[in-house]
C-alpha cells in the first residue's frame, strides 16, 4: 500500500492564483482530513469528510473548498490565494472516526 | 484554543528513557489523549493513545494521571531516530458529524544525543 499520497510536494503561487492540492489514499478509509501547519505550530483542521459525497468544515475553512467524489480522493482547492495561506498542508485518512489518522507527506505552499 | 501544554524542547541520552510530559487540565471525560510525532517536517506519525488507563505498545508507554489532567509519554530506550517533534493531542467530538477532531498543541522538540 502506498498509504496517503499528496501532490505536489512544493508549489509557489502568486497572490490571486488558484490551485488544487491532491490527496489520495489506497487503504479504503472512509474518513479523510485536510490540515495546515504554520511554522512552529501544531496542525489545524481545514475540512474533513466522513465518506464519498460528504464534507464539512473544520477550524479554519475560509479560503478553501473541498470535494469527495470517490472514497480514494480528497482534493483541496484554493481560490484567490493569499499570503496568509502560506503553510504546509497535510492530508490524512482513518478507517473510522475512532481509529488513528494516517498522514501524507505534505505539500509546502508559498504564496507571494 | 490548544487544550494541551508541553515543554518546548527536551534532550535525552541515547539508550535512556525519554519521558515527555503533557498537561491537559481542561480535558473532558470522553476526550482521548493521542500522541503523534513528526520527523523532519514529514507527516505526523501515530504513536499511542488512551482515555484513562495506562497503555503500552511496541513504540511507547502512556501514563495518564488519575485525575486525567496530565500524561507522560515514555520512550523506553531512545535512539537517534527518535529525534522529532512530539505532539500531545486531545481528540474532541465534532457533534454534528459524529466524528472527532484533533486539537494539536505546539509540541516538544526531542533531541536524542549520542
Amino acid at each position: 500500500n502506498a498509504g496517503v499520497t499528496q501532490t505536489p510536494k512544493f508549489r509557489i503561487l502568486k497572490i490571486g492564483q488558484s490551485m488544487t492540492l491532491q490527496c489520495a489514499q489506497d487503504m479504503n478509509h472512509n474518513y479523510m482530513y485536510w490540515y495546515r501547519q504554520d511554522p512552529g505550530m501544531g496542525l489545524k483542521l481545514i475540512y474533513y469528510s466522513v465518506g464519498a459525497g460528504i464534507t464539512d468544515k473544520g477550524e479554519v475553512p475560509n479560503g478553501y473548498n473541498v470535494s469527495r467524489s470517490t472514497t480514494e480522493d480528497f482534493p483541496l482547492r484554493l481560490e484567490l490565494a493569499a499570503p496568509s495561506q502560506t503553510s504546509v498542508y497535510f492530508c490524512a485518512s482513518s478507517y473510522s472516526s475512532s481509529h488513528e489518522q494516517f498522514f501524507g507527506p505534505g505539500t509546502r505552499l508559498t504564496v507571494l | 484554543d490548544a487544550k494541551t501544554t508541553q515543554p518546548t524542547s527536551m534532550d535525552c541520552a541515547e539508550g535512556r528513557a525519554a519521558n515527555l510530559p503533557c498537561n491537559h487540565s481542561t480535558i473532558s471525560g470522553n476526550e482521548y489523549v493521542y500522541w503523534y510525532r513528526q520527523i523532519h517536517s514529514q507527516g505526523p506519525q501515530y504513536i499511542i493513545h488512551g482515555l484513562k488507563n495506562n497503555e503500552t505498545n511496541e513504540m511507547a508507554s502512556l501514563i495518564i494521571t488519575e485525575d486525567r489532567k496530565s500524561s507522560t509519554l515514555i520512550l523506553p530506550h531512545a535512539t537517534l531516530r527518535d529525534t522529532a517533534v512530539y505532539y500531545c493531542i486531545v481528540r474532541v467530538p465534532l457533534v454534528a458529524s459524529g466524528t472527532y477532531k484533533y486539537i494539536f498543541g505546539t509540541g516538544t522538540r526531542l533531541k536524542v544525543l549520542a
Side-chain angles (χ1 to χ4, degrees):
Chain A
N1 286 352
V4 180
T5 58
Q6 293 183 239
T7 56
K9 284 187 168 53
F10 304 93
R11 184 71 186 268
I12 298 175
L13 282 182
K14 294 183 179 178
I15 294 171
Q17 287 185 320
S18 301
M19 77 164 294
T20 299
L21 282 67
Q22 301 292 344
C23 173
Q25 52 89 11
D26 62 358
M27 298 175 282
N28 204 30
H29 287 171
N30 279 324
Y31 292 74
M32 296 188 75
Y33 313 82
W34 273 106
Y35 293 87
R36 60 176 286 172
Q37 184 176 32
D38 297 330
M41 305 296 288
L43 280 67
K44 287 191 182 294
L45 183 66
I46 305 172
Y47 269 95
Y48 65 97
S49 170
V50 301
I54 307 170
T55 63
D56 209 342
K57 296 177 180 179
E59 301 171 82
V60 290
N62 292 343
Y64 307 95
N65 276 301
V66 293
S67 59
R68 184 96 182 271
S69 57
T70 67
T71 299
E72 295 78 18
D73 301 298
F74 189 39
L76 177 72
R77 178 85 178 157
L78 278 73
E79 305 282 2
L80 298 175
S84 61
Q85 293 177 305
T86 293
S87 192
V88 181
Y89 291 83
F90 290 101
C91 178
S93 72
S94 63
Y95 175 73
S96 75
S97 61
S98 57
H99 281 74
E100 69 270 22
Q101 295 179 21
F102 292 85
F103 285 81
T107 293
R108 187 174 296 273
L109 176 67
T110 302
V111 182
L112 300 174
Chain B
D1 60 341
K3 299 194 76 166
T4 62
T5 304
Q6 300 175 252
T8 303
S9 63
M10 293 180 63
D11 291 341
C12 176
E14 189 178 21
R16 304 296 292 269
N19 296 284
L20 290 86
C22 178
N23 287 324
H24 31 78
S25 57
T26 61
I27 197 169
S28 297
N30 61 348
E31 293 174 349
Y32 279 72
V33 177
Y34 277 68
W35 283 83
Y36 277 70
R37 71 182 183 184
Q38 191 173 26
I39 298 173
H40 292 309
S41 299
Q42 297 172 13
Q45 175 192 22
Y46 168 79
I47 301 172
I48 199 167
H49 73 280
L51 182 62
K52 53 185 177 183
N53 297 323
N54 297 338
E55 302 289 345
T56 295
N57 63 20
E58 64 278 4
M59 287 183 71
S61 294
L62 175 60
I63 309 298
I64 302 174
T65 58
E66 196 167 335
D67 63 8
R68 301 209 328 119
K69 292 186 177 182
S70 66
S71 60
T72 301
L73 177 74
I74 301 172
L75 307 178
H77 305 287
T79 71
L80 298 178
R81 286 176 295 180
D82 292 322
T83 293
V85 178
Y86 287 77
Y87 291 101
C88 173
I89 295 160
V90 173
R91 191 193 78 175
V92 303
L94 289 166
V95 177
S97 65
T99 187
Y100 302 92
K101 72 172 181 180
Y102 289 168
I103 298 184
F104 282 76
T106 52
T108 295
R109 186 172 297 275
L110 175 70
K111 187 173 183 180
V112 180
L113 305 172

